[in-house]
Amino acid sequence: MQRKIYTTDFGGKTLTAEFNDLTTHANGSVMLTYGETVVLVTAVMGKANNPNLPYFPLSVEFEEKFYAAGAILGSRYGRREGRPSDEAILSARIVDRTIRPLFDHSIRREIQVVISVLAMGEDDPDVLAVIGSSLALHVSDIPFAGPVGAIRVARNREDKRLLINPTYRERTGENLETEVLACGKDGTLNMIETQANETSEAELMTLLKATTEYHTALTNWQESIRAEIGKAKYVFEKPILPEVLITLYKERFANRLFETIFSGTPGKAHIYQIKTAFVEAATTATVDPTIAGDFFETKIDEVLHEGALLEQRRADGRGLDEVRDLYAKAGGLSPVLHGSGIFYRGGTHIFSALTLGGPEAAQLIDSIETKETKKRFMHHYNFPPFSVGETGRVGGFNRRMIGHGALAEKALLPVLPPKDVFPYTIRLVSETLASNGSSSMGSVCASSLALMDGGVPITRAVAGIASGVMMGNDTYTLLTDIQGPEDEFGDMDFKVAGTFVGITAVQMDVKVSGIPLAILGEALDKARLARLHILKTMDAVIPSPRTHISPRAPEIISLSIKPDQIGLVIGGGGKTINKIKDQSGVEEITIEDDGAVYITGRDGSAHTAATMIAALTKIYEVGEVVDVTVSRLSPFGVFVTLDAHHEGLIHISEITPFHLSTVEGIFSIGETLRAVVSKVENGKIGLSIKRLDPEFAIRRGIKPTETPAIPNDER
């Protein structure tokens, strides 16, 4: 086996890149090790060009191997890896979004990057996946304008210190205030993924700046490796544009395209009508329709940039910082739904529905990253073809849907109530019914409305906005609330979600090699103003969550028992808990290891079951006054029932202040008495009448006897 190994310090740990002959047929490959986490990245370019493709054919695959976790995972009936987990899809998207802008998009030869997680330690493989993809491409013969660095930087909630590449353990629970995964080169950023707990723009900029320092070290390291083992890059010959095509555009379509783009009409359907006419005219002139279509797309891009950069104009006629018309509605669709929200921002229309369930409805996550973890909050995003006026496959989901759903979920998570306050499982579904830019941020707004309509006690409403930028000739123009053409042909899609207090999520994708920090800082400020504007519109519709959840939602009652009482409640083979379910009519009873009990039911059944469990697990305290029922008599006292599950003894010495020889004739079976708990030992309950009621003997006409009572410790 031939190997060449390079190392560098990365956040206080050693990052190792190994180039070997395991994957001899790949154009480029590398095995990266960081701590105990190992990923193998391969990059392969297809052998043949496909000039008929209307797009750049790049694919990124993130493969989670079960063996990487040192465990036999999968379902009971299938132990082989199946479809990628959501985590794997999101990691693949991070890599794709980072490297895609660094290719010449005129390439029509397939390029595939495959990331295989070979060993899973305490370090997240997504950062390694980006660095490995950059390295594998950079040393290969595949044309790639890299390298690029990647790092995760977080701020600790308690002491505010920065954590570089925090481990899974450091990222659990409430440890982190803000977490940023950023990728970039040359002091710029080209991919950002952020989860924050209402962080200020200034604090976020501090973290973003910190990432760029590490990017420089990583890209310098990669450049040194390429200088030693890199292959010569393949050179693609770009097709020469037919002169007839250029003439056709100048004479018949240039002015028409400019006038159409800046006609003030939102969307891009009217622009593509001209493209269709141009391609038809070019085809008549014997020009390949694919070449004609690609050429016209570049002209749309040029005109949009010129309008924004030279004349400060936008395609739909708005001001640079102007947010489109807004509409918000909370509820009112149907009483069947537990909550709903409708949100319009221009031509983007979103409907979100809330469904509440018991703890048992939580999603079980069992992957190489997260094992047997329950997820109580889910946001799912749908994008049917009719939302953009097209036909196509309906149903199912794709990577884009998973990515947009996860972003909205991330944005809403910081305002959700903790489980001990609101024990429900929460599912939101956002339906994109019409789309003209940033439906993911529209989903955040509609989902926030649905949560408040459903009575979920969120701390504050959340809204999102997407900003863009047009760059060229050492200048730029920022655009707030990008729509259709600006989204497709702009240089940045910068999504920022948050509350009146601060940012909860950020995601950035670009079409250029990177965005300078100064531009990002300005974009964050503009996004904040737009977000506050949207929140005011939402606040006017529903200023706070409704005081009650929907009557159609299940009722959940929570209580706590001691961990050593769990077996008592469950019973042998589940006999006791099943009996409680049958008698009360509840839907589900969930008992957690710490003794937390969640009872899900309807029409009062949860209260019935809670009463039964409370009685079963009740712990009587010394001094507690109780009403008891005589169950049997004995020579040394009276046995009584305190409730359906507990029996106690009133010792003969605890009945009167003087000695009794017998309890016969004094008490009768089924009689109700009032007593006080005098002791609780090893599950046995002792009670006393004389300590509670010294006059009991007088009222009953009981007289002292000469026979001493049986001592209490001989019972």
Side-chain angles (χ1 to χ4, degrees):
M1 182 180 187
Q2 298 178 359
R3 303 196 309 167
K4 202 161 186 63
I5 296 176
Y6 302 87
T7 63
T8 186
D9 178 79
F10 185 35
K13 288 184 180 180
T14 299
L15 175 63
T16 302
E18 178 179 325
F19 297 86
N20 54 44
D21 56 2
L22 277 171
T23 57
T24 54
H25 298 295
N27 293 69
S29 72
V30 64
M31 188 180 294
L32 280 187
T33 301
Y34 192 62
E36 294 182 345
T37 300
V38 183
V39 300
L40 171 67
V41 184
T42 59
V44 175
M45 182 168 62
K47 301 296 187 290
N49 221 31
N50 187 351
N52 294 322
L53 278 177
Y55 58 87
F56 166 51
L58 170 69
S59 63
V60 177
E61 308 297 333
F62 191 94
E63 298 283 299
E64 293 181 325
K65 304 299 183 180
F66 288 164
Y67 57 74
I72 299 177
L73 303 176
S75 72
R76 180 180 176 185
Y77 301 102
R79 295 301 190 182
R80 191 180 180 91
E81 291 83 356
R83 63 172 294 275
S85 67
D86 285 1
E87 289 80 5
I89 290 172
L90 295 173
S91 295
R93 279 175 54 84
I94 285 171
V95 176
D96 189 302
R97 290 159 46 207
T98 301
I99 65 174
R100 187 174 290 272
L102 302 176
F103 286 98
D104 181 347
H105 282 223
S106 67
I107 295 174
R108 291 298 181 264
R109 188 175 292 187
E110 286 188 307
I111 297 173
Q112 185 177 56
V113 175
V114 178
I115 302 105
S116 301
V117 182
L118 303 184
M120 174 63 81
E122 62 179 3
D123 297 288
D124 197 320
D126 55 5
V127 169
L128 301 186
V130 176
I131 300 170
S133 299
S134 174
L135 255 177
L137 288 164
H138 200 47
V139 302
S140 75
D141 60 347
I142 302 172
F144 175 66
V148 65
I151 191 169
R152 177 177 278 105
V153 177
R155 187 187 294 280
N156 185 275
R157 184 186 297 271
E158 295 181 358
D159 55 19
K160 307 301 181 182
R161 63 189 171 92
L162 291 186
L163 300 174
I164 306 303
N165 290 331
T167 64
Y168 283 113
R169 181 175 297 179
E170 290 172 323
R171 293 163 60 191
T172 57
E174 302 296 321
N175 292 341
L176 300 187
E177 180 182 79
T178 307
E179 178 181 315
V180 176
L181 196 166
C183 308
K185 56 180 291 189
D186 302 326
T188 65
L189 297 175
N190 75 343
M191 199 292 302
I192 300 173
E193 193 74 29
T194 300
Q195 174 146 14
N197 187 28
E198 298 182 297
T199 299
S200 71
E201 284 73 14
E203 290 174 335
L204 180 57
M205 283 300 296
T206 299
L207 295 181
L208 291 176
K209 185 177 180 180
T211 67
T212 62
E213 299 172 8
Y214 288 91
H215 294 158
T216 300
L218 285 169
T219 54
N220 288 342
W221 179 59
Q222 293 179 60
E223 291 285 16
S224 67
I225 294 174
R226 171 165 173 76
E228 187 174 337
I229 65 171
K231 302 175 184 177
K233 294 295 184 183
Y234 184 88
V235 178
F236 284 94
E237 293 185 7
K238 293 187 178 182
I240 299 174
L241 294 173
E243 191 63 35
V244 64
L245 187 69
I246 299 173
T247 302
L248 175 66
Y249 174 75
K250 287 181 178 179
E251 293 180 353
R252 294 177 49 187
F253 288 90
N255 291 335
R256 184 179 169 189
L257 177 60
F258 185 91
E259 292 171 358
T260 301
I261 286 179
F262 295 108
S263 63
T265 304
K268 52 192 178 184
H270 57 302
I271 300 173
Y272 279 96
Q273 287 178 357
I274 302 179
K275 177 185 175 182
T276 301
F278 176 79
V279 172
E280 289 176 352
T283 304
T284 302
T286 68
V287 177
D288 182 274
T290 301
I291 294 175
D294 288 346
F295 172 79
F296 200 79
E297 293 270 325
T298 64
K299 293 303 175 183
I300 296 173
D301 186 281
E302 288 176 8
V303 171
L304 280 166
H305 276 73
E306 289 173 3
L309 294 171
L310 302 179
E311 302 180 26
Q312 304 290 286
R313 295 181 66 176
R314 300 184 69 170
D316 59 1
R318 281 182 294 140
L320 299 180
D321 299 331
E322 184 179 349
V323 177
R324 290 172 288 172
D325 291 340
L326 303 175
Y327 171 77
K329 181 181 179 181
L333 184 69
S334 170
V336 173
L337 302 179
H338 298 167
S340 64
I342 294 176
F343 181 78
Y344 286 20
R345 190 181 59 254
T348 297
H349 305 163
I350 309 294
F351 164 70
S352 292
L354 167 73
T355 308
L356 299 174
E360 72 285 348
Q363 180 183 0
L364 181 63
I365 307 295
D366 193 15
S367 66
I368 67 171
E369 293 185 79
T370 308
K371 300 178 184 65
E372 297 185 357
T373 299
K374 291 184 177 180
K375 183 179 180 182
R376 63 179 285 259
F377 172 55
M378 297 156 278
H379 176 272
H380 297 145
Y381 166 97
N382 293 322
F383 192 88
F386 63 75
S387 66
V388 286
E390 297 177 357
T391 60
R393 178 174 175 267
V394 176
F397 50 87
N398 55 33
R399 289 185 172 191
R400 182 176 181 275
M401 293 182 190
I402 291 173
H404 281 19
L407 175 59
E409 183 176 292
K410 187 182 298 183
L412 294 163
L413 191 60
V415 302
L416 292 179
K419 186 177 180 180
D420 57 353
V421 173
F422 194 76
Y424 288 84
T425 295
I426 304 167
R427 182 180 185 238
L428 285 162
V429 178
S430 292
E431 305 284 357
T432 306
L433 303 181
S435 179
N436 183 26
S438 191
S439 54
S440 62
M441 293 295 93
S443 297
V444 172
C445 300
S447 294
S448 183
L449 293 167
L451 286 167
M452 292 193 289
D453 176 56
V456 179
I458 62 175
T459 54
R460 278 171 286 275
V462 184
I465 191 71
S467 301
V469 69
M470 297 288 185
M471 301 176 66
N473 298 324
D474 297 323
T475 186
Y476 66 93
T477 298
L478 283 167
L479 307 173
T480 297
D481 184 21
I482 55 176
Q483 57 99 28
E486 298 165 340
D487 190 6
E488 183 173 354
F489 295 98
D491 296 321
M492 176 180 74
D493 183 5
F494 191 51
K495 305 181 182 76
V496 183
T499 67
F500 280 114
V501 175
I503 296 168
T504 57
V506 175
Q507 186 179 91
M508 184 188 78
D509 303 320
V510 301
K511 297 184 181 71
V512 292
S513 62
I515 305 292
L517 283 172
I519 295 178
L520 289 178
E522 189 178 342
L524 278 172
D525 289 337
K526 291 179 179 294
R528 180 181 64 84
L529 295 175
R531 182 176 81 244
L532 297 180
H533 170 67
I534 296 170
L535 285 167
K536 287 180 181 178
T537 299
M538 296 167 59
D539 186 63
V541 173
I542 182 167
S544 60
R546 305 199 192 281
T547 54
H548 300 288
I549 65 171
S550 166
R552 299 292 183 93
E555 178 185 31
I556 299 180
I557 294 179
S558 59
L559 60 137
S560 181
I561 63 175
K562 290 187 174 182
D564 59 10
Q565 293 178 317
I566 294 175
L568 173 67
V569 176
I570 295 176
K575 183 177 180 180
T576 304
I577 198 169
N578 287 331
K579 182 179 179 181
I580 294 173
K581 288 181 183 179
D582 293 340
Q583 292 181 354
S584 64
V586 295
E587 297 176 3
E588 191 62 53
I589 299 174
T590 302
I591 305 177
E592 300 190 346
D593 293 341
D594 62 355
V597 181
Y598 300 99
I599 306 166
T600 307
R602 299 176 190 273
D603 302 323
S605 61
H607 282 281
T608 301
T611 300
M612 296 171 70
I613 293 175
L616 175 63
T617 59
K618 178 174 174 55
I619 298 176
Y620 286 91
E621 304 287 343
V622 173
E624 187 174 353
V625 177
V626 293
D627 290 321
V628 299
T629 302
V630 177
S631 58
R632 55 194 173 95
L633 307 178
S634 78
F636 48 83
V638 181
F639 284 95
V640 295
T641 56
L642 289 81
D643 54 47
H645 309 286
H646 296 89
E647 186 180 56
L649 172 68
I650 306 175
H651 192 268
I652 195 169
S653 65
E654 292 292 336
I655 297 173
T656 64
F658 47 80
H659 297 308
L660 288 179
S661 59
T662 181
V663 296
E664 295 289 342
I666 299 176
F667 301 99
S668 57
I669 305 299
E671 179 183 359
T672 300
L673 303 171
R674 175 156 288 194
V676 63
V677 177
S678 56
K679 67 177 180 178
V680 179
E681 294 179 359
N682 300 322
K684 294 181 179 180
I685 302 172
L687 301 106
S688 173
I689 292 177
K690 72 179 184 181
R691 299 185 195 186
L692 178 68
D693 184 6
E695 304 297 322
F696 175 79
I698 297 175
R699 290 201 311 277
R700 288 286 182 110
I702 305 172
K703 296 180 180 180
T705 63
E706 296 180 358
T707 306
I710 300 173
N712 200 20
D713 57 2
E714 294 180 11
R715 46 180 269 193

